[in-house]
Amino acid sequence: MKPHRLRAAGLAVALLGSLVAVAAPATAAPTADTAATRIADTAAAGPLTVGTAGCSTDPATPKRQLRAMWIASVVNIDWPTKASYTAPDRIAAQKAEYAGWLDLAERLHHNAVIVQVRPTADAFWPSPHEPWSEYLTGVRGQDPGWDPLAYLVAESHRRNLEFHAWFNPYRISMPDGAGADVDKLAPGHPARTNPGWAVAYPVNAAGSRLYYNPGIPEVRQFVQTAMLDAVERYDIDGVHFDDYFYPYPAAGQDFADQATFERYGAGFASRADWRRNNIDLLVREMGQRIKAVKPWVKFGVSPFGIWRNAAADPLGSQTNGTQSYDANFADTRKWVKEEWIDYIVPQVYWNIGFTVADYAKLVPWWSEVVAGTRVQLYIGQADYKIADPAQPAPWQDPAEMSRHLTFNRDYPQVAGNVHFSAVQVRANRLGATDLYAAAHYSRPALIPTMPHLPAKPLLFPVLAGAGRQDDGIELRWWHPAGGLGPFGTATSYAIYRFDGLTVPGRCGFADAGHLVGTVRATGRSTQSYLDDSAEPGRRYSYYVTALDRLANESQPSLPWFVLR
């Protein structure tokens, strides 16, 4: 046994007296030798989920499933609201608004948020590269007087929610902002300093706006550097791109990059192929630069839901809609197959049975695309269509979204869902949010693991006590050897509760049926959790596991039995 293992084992033996509750059950309690052996073996043991293979689980309570909503800032869709601009204490108002979204996420048992922090070549943090976003104060380039991104990350983590920073790579302006006029951008904006970088599209038409030209190598490097600044300086969990690369085509117009193609497009058979390569380079290089700085930060993309139609490409889906391969020059299937990204969230924003783009055909197609790769698949859900009178009849049925989530259960490659957007989730039109949350999000769930990202084995926590209070049962534990030697650092903890004096087999931890909650690690010597759902007078068995920042899970603690 290595010295660091001996030290860890000695800690467990010395503290074994705190592992079992005051009135132990008739069955034998774990011995000191057992504790020492388990700690000594932790470094070699696999994560808890490996030991649950072959267990029968309830599909309604999956142990691991990404659950998130997009929180959009562009044109103040979700956060912050325009009303906050004139609030007597604008900063406090915006913080309170964001806290409200996290309250909603917690109530729905979500475990992540995807927040737009660079909507139009601007920033929700003090960026050295780009101006402050107009969506913070209503004025382009105005310092809001605080660091929103620092607060967004810290408050999300305090609630134990993953924080994915959502960036739009190339969009510079919106029609109701600067529009197509470079001179209306914030003073010192990079597009004003380098007007040759910007392209107006569509030209002389409603909805005209500015985009960075993806075909200019300096532009591609600049936008990567601007986004990477947030990765380097903030404790984000993921980098997230949406579906805007080259702009969606406008009738009768083409994106004005012919001169750029003539300068940089040698060797490409067509401008379309060159454009796709430009976006390929953006995605591949961005992924590489993220991992070079912080290997644990995830990189994901949320493209339009159709890659190509089968009529255009035999590898495509049985659909007849807009193709991101041709419209946005985004070869999303290639990014998955090349594993340039960690996850993909296709926006499958159509109902089951929709002729042009059937949800029931696209989910299997995307499942097949990710099969055999390390890229995780989450489905983008169109909560904004629920009860919209302009949408087909299925969207007038409160059960349509729940049917989507039920359909996903037949495809194990689907590892979660992201809902667009927060304001629509909260609206709960037709009671649809309540309906799908009750059927599919009734229990907490852990974030899916990504085994290809770096991790160390985790030592299991040591329970130190439990006390019944008027508002529930408070558990206390500590985590030995976190971050020491071969062991990883616990970022959060999962709490499991079993009825009676239960010593569950490995399958007791296979789904979320006994998972009562998770809590963020505080860094203090002792951690606690209040189980406010515990019933007075009932006997319970509690176990706690440690999770690292990628949700890899330790073996469970030895139990604590609450007898009265």
Side-chain angles (χ1 to χ4, degrees), residues 211-234:
Y211 297 87
Y212 281 126
N213 187 342
I216 300 175
E218 292 83 3
V219 166
R220 188 177 75 250
Q221 290 299 308
F222 170 77
V223 299
Q224 290 175 9
T225 298
M227 294 183 288
L228 201 68
D229 180 63
V231 179
E232 293 172 333
R233 294 169 57 193
Y234 298 88

Side-chain angles (χ1 to χ4, degrees), residues 59 66 69 103 149 151 159 195 203 223 280 377 380 393 398 402 466 513 531:
L66 184 96
M69 55 187 171
D103 290 343
L149 183 53
Y151 171 77
R159 314 289 193 98
V203 179
V223 299
D280 284 351
L377 172 63
S402 187
D531 179 11

Side-chain angles (χ1 to χ4, degrees), residues 347-371:
Q347 298 172 23
V348 188
Y349 285 173
W350 304 282
N351 57 273
I352 295 173
F354 186 58
T355 304
V356 174
D358 187 349
Y359 185 94
K361 292 180 179 178
L362 278 163
V363 168
W365 185 85
W366 280 106
S367 297
E368 179 62 28
V369 168
V370 303

Side-chain angles (χ1 to χ4, degrees), residues 5 8-13 15-16 18-19 30-43 45-48 456-464 477-483 487-490 492-494 496 509 542-547 552-559:
R5 291 190 176 182
L11 279 172
V13 173
L15 291 158
L16 186 63
S18 67
L19 295 179
T31 66
D33 287 343
T34 301
T37 300
R38 286 188 62 195
I39 288 181
D41 290 344
T42 293
L48 178 56
K456 293 181 177 181
L458 287 164
L459 198 63
F460 60 86
V462 175
L463 282 167
W477 65 87
W478 62 285
H479 188 220
F487 299 115
T489 299
S492 63
Y493 298 93
Y496 297 85
F509 301 92
Y542 285 96
Y543 297 80
V544 177
T545 61
L547 299 105
N552 297 297
E553 189 175 27
S554 75
Q555 295 294 315
S557 68
L558 298 173

